[in-house]
Amino acid sequence: METAKQKHILRGQVKAKAAALPPGYQERASAAICRRLLSLPELAAAGTVFGFYPGPGEPDILPVLEALLAGGKRVALPRCTSPGVMEARQVERLDQLSPGRYRIPEPGPDRPLVPWNEVAFAILPCVTADRAGNRLGHGGGYYDRFLAMAPEGMGAAVVCFASLMPQRVPTEAHDRPIPLVITEEGTFGAGSLEK
């Protein structure tokens, strides 16, 4: 079976599994994921952090974003500009966001643009990931394009609920493993992004 079809099937399986998670699981798991993120030395050392506003079924990392902003970090969030293309825009507060292309809050075009090569650490969403750092996104290609432009040595972590992780995520030639995978049960991988 071709990899693109395998990914499509896995997306459907994970989304069905996510819909059946017990009440309270996502909240408890998100809190543990946030604690693990905030304990990362790579994140503590980063001056500029690229994050994301969580959509339905994704770990709620808003407490991490709030902590980074309160700690004086330069925080950028994605703004979708066209299909598959996003840019990083700096925010000082989360109330500076408004619903974007997918009804997910994002910064407006008036917020300062952050060049990709200035991002020191990125927190990435996913549908699921495996322990080797192979990430399965929603299929829009936004983060694939970002990772292709990301500076070498940039720290990066993908956040994922442990109960939704498969043994292996199918990969294609353009897929790049993420150095760290953060779940409520543990942190996997180590290092920075390699070209």
Side-chain angles (χ1 to χ4, degrees):
M1 186 187 309
E2 66 179 79
T3 306
K5 188 169 184 181
Q6 290 176 331
K7 287 182 172 183
H8 178 74
I9 291 169
L10 181 57
R11 269 189 204 98
Q13 291 171 338
V14 171
K15 288 179 180 181
K17 200 171 177 182
L21 289 172
Y25 168 83
Q26 290 191 25
E27 292 80 5
R28 290 189 302 274
S30 291
I33 287 169
C34 287
R35 287 192 296 273
R36 290 186 186 282
L37 272 171
L38 289 171
S39 71
L40 289 176
E42 298 94 331
L43 182 58
T48 299
V49 178
F50 179 59
F52 69 94
Y53 196 100
E58 294 175 337
D60 180 2
I61 63 157
L62 294 182
V64 172
L65 299 179
E66 294 280 14
L68 295 174
L69 289 166
K73 300 280 189 191
R74 181 187 190 201
V75 175
L77 295 176
R79 173 177 165 73
C80 298
T81 57
S82 59
V85 179
M86 65 181 177
E87 59 190 14
R89 294 278 176 170
Q90 184 177 349
V91 296
E92 284 86 32
R93 301 182 318 275
L94 295 181
D95 64 5
Q96 295 172 327
L97 309 175
S98 56
R101 184 176 292 268
Y102 299 101
R103 297 192 194 96
I104 295 172
E106 63 178 33
D110 57 320
R111 304 304 312 147
L113 184 67
V114 176
W116 293 126
N117 64 358
E118 294 180 13
V119 175
F121 194 91
I123 305 168
L124 308 175
C126 67
V127 172
T128 190
D130 62 27
R131 288 186 178 206
N134 297 306
R135 173 188 169 276
L136 180 67
H138 293 277
Y142 290 93
Y143 287 91
D144 292 328
R145 288 178 180 85
F146 159 62
L147 291 167
M149 295 182 291
E152 187 166 359
M154 178 190 78
V158 62
V159 293
C160 184
F161 294 126
S163 66
L164 303 181
M165 292 176 74
Q167 284 292 107
R168 188 181 80 70
V169 168
T171 59
E172 297 173 89
H174 66 268
D175 292 321
R176 298 173 63 193
I178 309 303
L180 295 168
V181 180
I182 312 290
T183 77
E184 72 275 18
E185 293 180 0
T187 300
F188 309 100
S192 57
L193 206 63
E194 296 176 4
K195 290 285 185 182

